Amino acid sequence: MRIAAFVCALVAAPVHAAEPFGPPFPPPVAYAALPGWRGDAPTLALPALLASCAALRQPSGTSRGLAALPPEAWAGPCAALRTVAARLPRFAPARREAVLRAAIEAQFTPHVMGAGLLSGYFEPQVEGRLAPDERFRTPLHARPPELIEFNTAEMIPGLPPRRVSGILRDGRLTPAPPRAAIEAGTLFGRGLELAWLADPADAFFLQIQGSGRVVLEDGRVLRLGYAAQNGHPYTPIGRLLIDRGEIPRERMSMQAIRAWMREQGADAAAALMRENASYVFFRPMPDLPPDQGPPGALGVPLTPRRSIAVDPDFIPLGAPVYVATTDGAWRRLMAAQDVGGAIRGPARADFFHGWDAEAPEMAGRQRDPATLYVLLPRPQQANSDRPVDSPAAAGRHRSLRGERSDAPGPRTRPRARPPVAPGAP
């Protein structure tokens, strides 16, 4: 089967989209503008993209963030991806990358989000116990039942979507205890402890990663996933150390922070960690297979080195995103499937490295200048009854911004926030 003919079949069905989807995005660019686009292996990203499509069928999968698109925006492209996935085995292995790449180009338009920062995260594996002893004395907590989280847009229609958390007392939402109060024992005696670790720094960085694997004394592995956050703002302790002249910016990494903690001692390390008032609560995930990643904010398991965390106010969760670091080390198609407390801005992303032996080192040291390109659904001409006769013809359809530069979108984006300066975990 010829590649061009197959792609024609994928885009032949009419898409009745009278208006472009979503809020204003940057203008589209040609795929030729994506560095290394033709050198990537998109079949390695296909499982992550299909997982996103499964989540995006549900309205709840698309409701988070100002950049969210409605489920119908993804229906056509996701149907095309499922079709090409089913038919790929019919092609010779050497041609499969070209077939999938052509199908992606026919269904999506790339939009450059700008130059920013690509950091890394991973799923830690640490030794722990289910009960405390003289060595294992640092708890990982479950979510307190009185802690509530909600989306402002779901509570009051018209408000921008924001996650808010706190404790409801006498009809008022009050802040939950900060990290310092929790570590001082404000939750002690309530049976919220899920596991106990030996090193407070392990617990701190496991919270930053948002999930982890706790290896118990009998060899069993307790999988923990994100449950909630106490609502206090996240303060990157690496940035504090940079600002104080403790670690040069060019040397900042998770490994450098840990080395500083060891050199300065337990008291200094504890004081530094408490300057980050944000605190993460966990939930057990007993049914998660060991070869599967933790679920991200989209609700699907993260795929090592093909899933990223983004700011959903700029990049829709579930969208394909092409990442190109300045040094060329990472140039690949990925899926936006997670969010993070430090991930703010249109060109800010966190690269999920998985849980293998290399993941902590690679994630801890990753702070790469990079350009992000979000791939957004390409609406076909409204009420079209003619098939697209070639892959190139798909590029003549309207972009998400529409044909008029002054056409308003269904939402108004707030004033752009200044870029986040490179910091640290």
Side-chain angles (χ1 to χ4, degrees), residues 37-46 97 100-101 306 331 333:
W37 168 250
R38 304 194 70 80
D40 185 28
T43 57
L44 298 180
L46 185 57
E97 303 298 345
L100 179 56
R101 186 180 300 109
R306 289 290 174 172
R331 291 180 173 177
L333 182 63

Side-chain angles (χ1 to χ4, degrees), residues 10 98 136 215 228-229 266 357 378 407 422:
L10 286 177
F136 294 87
V215 182
Q229 188 257 1
R378 185 195 298 273

Side-chain angles (χ1 to χ4, degrees), residues 120-122 124 179 201-211 226 234-238 254 257 261 273 276 278-280 282 338-342 350 424-425:
Y121 70 119
F122 66 106
R179 173 179 299 277
D202 284 342
F204 181 86
F205 283 103
L206 195 146
Q207 288 187 34
I208 290 178
Q209 306 305 320
S211 63
Y226 176 92
Y234 174 83
T235 300
I237 61 172
M254 181 184 71
I257 295 174
M261 289 179 172
M273 290 186 287
N276 176 25
S278 174
Y279 193 91
V280 170
F282 296 97
D338 206 1
V339 300
D350 217 10

Side-chain angles (χ1 to χ4, degrees), residues 234-247:
Y234 174 83
T235 300
I237 61 172
R239 185 178 298 168
L240 297 179
L241 293 175
I242 291 173
D243 292 343
R244 294 166 186 172
E246 297 287 341
I247 301 176

Side-chain angles (χ1 to χ4, degrees), residues 7 10 12 71 96 139-140 180 184 192-193 206 221 236 244 269 346 350 375 394 397 414:
V7 174
L10 286 177
R96 292 172 187 170
L140 299 174
L192 297 173
E193 297 85 0
L206 195 146
V221 177
R244 294 166 186 172
D350 217 10
L375 275 56
H397 289 171

